[in-house]
Amino acid sequence: EVQLVESGGGLVQPGRSLRLSCTASGFTFGDYAMSWFRQAPGKGLEWVGFIRSKAYGGTTEYAASVKGRFTISRDDSKSIAYLQMNSLKTEDTAVYYCSKGRLVLDYWGQGTLVTVSS
Amino acid sequence: EIVLTQSPGTLSLSPGERATLSCRASQSVSSSYLAWFQQKPGQAPRLLIYGASSRATGIPDRFSGSGSGTDFTLTISRLEPEDFAVYYCQQYGSSPYTFGQGTKLEIK
């Protein structure tokens, strides 16, 4: 059974950093891209970015709103995808979700809440 | 960036009725890379349709997707009580991948 579990969320001050983790099980993690999304309170879904599998270069793409501040990485030996968030802004407050793949997003984690506030 | 506009914003229907949700793109969606998601309060999104018309695993056949180019439709043939939720379309044909603003399907 495929499972994705996000962790690392919490309350953080503007300008600080936070790293989220997405721990995967139930599939061959290294064979898949991994994506991150977010949803601000009461708002719609927003694509954050993804990381391709090593077979496709492990390259990344990001939304303009986070490019240069957020970095997605992966550790295939641990089946974990990371979202490093730097220079956080109040508008980054959201539930962050990871998902298996980058095209057909059939599995999602339960999300982790990040609150950016002083 | 491809902008997706969903209509209506809110749809009020009764169980047993047919629901038709629209998603219009600001430019053509490459290879019909258009998905539909269902989201209930406090839950992660659930993939319903990908490739504009392919049902995801385990999705009942009352859900169907159609369309190409810039106009896409999600149809729920006979609404069940568990279908009342928010529905989002998403294009993944060109980066940045974008979502529509959502359609809330509520019980009339």
Side-chain angles (χ1 to χ4, degrees):
Chain A
E1 178 194 7
V2 172
Q3 286 198 329
L4 299 170
V5 178
E6 301 94 340
S7 60
L11 175 63
V12 61
Q13 293 180 326
R16 304 297 291 265
S17 298
L18 201 62
R19 188 179 78 163
L20 305 183
S21 299
C22 171
T23 303
S25 61
F27 64 101
T28 305
F29 181 80
D31 288 349
Y32 291 87
M34 294 296 292
S35 298
W36 285 93
F37 298 86
R38 67 184 180 180
Q39 187 168 35
K43 302 298 184 182
L45 296 166
E46 181 183 12
W47 172 76
V48 172
F50 64 77
I51 184 166
R52 293 180 175 87
S53 67
K54 291 281 176 25
Y56 288 88
T59 53
T60 53
E61 293 193 31
Y62 301 95
S65 58
V66 306
K67 195 169 186 179
R69 299 188 300 123
F70 290 12
T71 302
I72 299 172
S73 61
R74 62 190 300 153
D75 184 336
D76 291 351
S77 69
K78 296 181 179 178
S79 298
I80 300 177
Y82 298 101
L83 178 64
Q84 176 68 42
M85 304 184 293
N86 298 333
S87 303
L88 282 161
K89 305 175 181 180
T90 55
E91 53 264 41
D92 294 319
T93 294
V95 174
Y96 285 75
Y97 297 99
C98 65
S99 180
K100 169 179 165 279
R102 70 175 180 95
L103 298 179
V104 180
L105 303 169
D106 49 357
Y107 292 97
W108 294 62
Q110 84 290 348
T112 187
L113 175 63
V114 173
T115 303
V116 184
S117 175
S118 55
Chain B
E1 172 177 324
I2 296 178
V3 176
L4 299 180
T5 302
Q6 292 186 239
S7 61
T10 302
L11 186 57
S12 299
L13 294 170
S14 301
E17 291 192 291
R18 181 185 186 91
T20 303
L21 287 66
S22 174
C23 177
R24 178 162 290 179
S26 60
Q27 54 189 283
S28 184
V29 176
S30 173
S31 303
S32 292
Y33 280 172
L34 192 287
W36 289 93
F37 294 89
Q38 176 193 70
Q39 189 178 34
K40 297 179 180 179
Q43 296 185 16
R46 176 194 182 194
L47 177 67
L48 300 174
I49 301 288
Y50 63 94
S53 60
S54 297
R55 265 189 306 276
T57 302
I59 301 303
D61 60 8
R62 64 180 181 274
F63 290 91
S64 63
S66 62
S68 64
T70 60
D71 287 294
F72 299 87
T73 300
L74 174 69
T75 301
I76 311 172
S77 58
R78 285 177 54 85
L79 285 166
E80 297 288 342
E82 62 268 26
D83 298 337
F84 292 92
V86 179
Y87 291 83
Y88 294 95
C89 59
Q90 183 222 11
Q91 70 80 21
Y92 51 96
S94 63
S95 180
Y97 300 166
T98 49
F99 288 89
Q101 82 280 14
T103 289
K104 181 179 181 180
L105 179 56
E106 64 177 25
I107 299 177
K108 187 174 182 179

